[in-house]
């Protein structure tokens, strides 16, 4: 069974950090692109960051300089390091895989989705 499993969400104070993990089971991530998306209550889903199969990355303007995406193919896992977190970063975060390896912040291109993990930034 092809599956993506997330971990690492939680409650953090403004200015704090969290690292989200997205691990694949049933397939290898080597030739896949991974995107991170988020959805806050009452808002549309937005693309946060992505990394292509070759390692090319892209970020939404709202997170540039604060978030870093990376991949460890040996661990079959992609990470999203989130620093200098703000209350407006509060959302459910999802990772997704694109089997064509394309880095895109457009969610419709992605084939497999994880279940989502809550990130809450609050004092």
């Amino acid at each position: 069974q092809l599956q993506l499993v997330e971990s690492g969400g939680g409650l953090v104070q403004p200015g704090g950090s969290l690292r989200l993990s997205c691990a694949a089971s049933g397939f290898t991530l080597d030739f896949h692109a991974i995107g991170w998306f988020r959805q806050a209550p009452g808002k549309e889903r937005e693309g946060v960051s992505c990394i292509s199969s070759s390692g090319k990355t892209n970020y939404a303007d709202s997170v540039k300089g604060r978030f870093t995406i990376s991949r460890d193919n040996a661990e079959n896992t992609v990470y999203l390091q989130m620093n200098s977190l703000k209350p407006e970063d509060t959302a459910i975060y999802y990772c997704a895989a694109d089997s064509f390896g394309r880095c895109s912040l457009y969610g419709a291109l992605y084939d497999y989705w994880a279940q989502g993990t809550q990130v809450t930034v609050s004092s």
Side-chain angles (χ1 to χ4, degrees):
Q1 183 178 2
L2 307 180
Q3 194 174 9
L4 291 172
V5 179
E6 296 179 9
S7 60
L11 173 65
V12 64
Q13 292 187 341
S17 298
L18 282 175
R19 188 178 77 160
L20 303 183
S21 300
C22 177
S25 64
F27 68 106
T28 60
L29 290 178
D30 295 39
F31 302 107
H32 289 75
I34 296 295
W36 285 96
F37 299 83
R38 66 186 181 187
Q39 187 164 20
K43 294 187 177 181
E44 293 186 354
R45 183 181 66 194
E46 64 170 335
V48 174
S49 181
C50 61
I51 185 166
S52 72
S53 56
S54 63
K56 178 181 177 181
T57 60
N58 194 18
Y59 298 90
D61 288 343
S62 59
V63 305
K64 279 181 181 175
R66 299 189 297 122
F67 290 11
T68 302
I69 191 170
S70 61
R71 64 190 304 150
D72 185 337
N73 287 343
E75 294 294 326
N76 216 26
T77 301
V78 171
Y79 303 97
L80 184 68
Q81 178 67 44
M82 305 186 296
N83 298 329
S84 302
L85 283 161
K86 304 175 180 180
E88 51 264 42
D89 294 317
T90 296
I92 299 175
Y93 284 70
Y94 302 88
C95 67
D98 168 31
S99 56
F100 289 95
R102 304 162 295 189
C103 175
S104 172
L105 299 182
Y106 183 51
L109 296 179
Y110 290 80
D111 308 297
Y112 309 110
W113 289 80
Q115 78 285 357
T117 187
Q118 178 70 48
V119 171
T120 302
V121 185
S122 176
S123 55

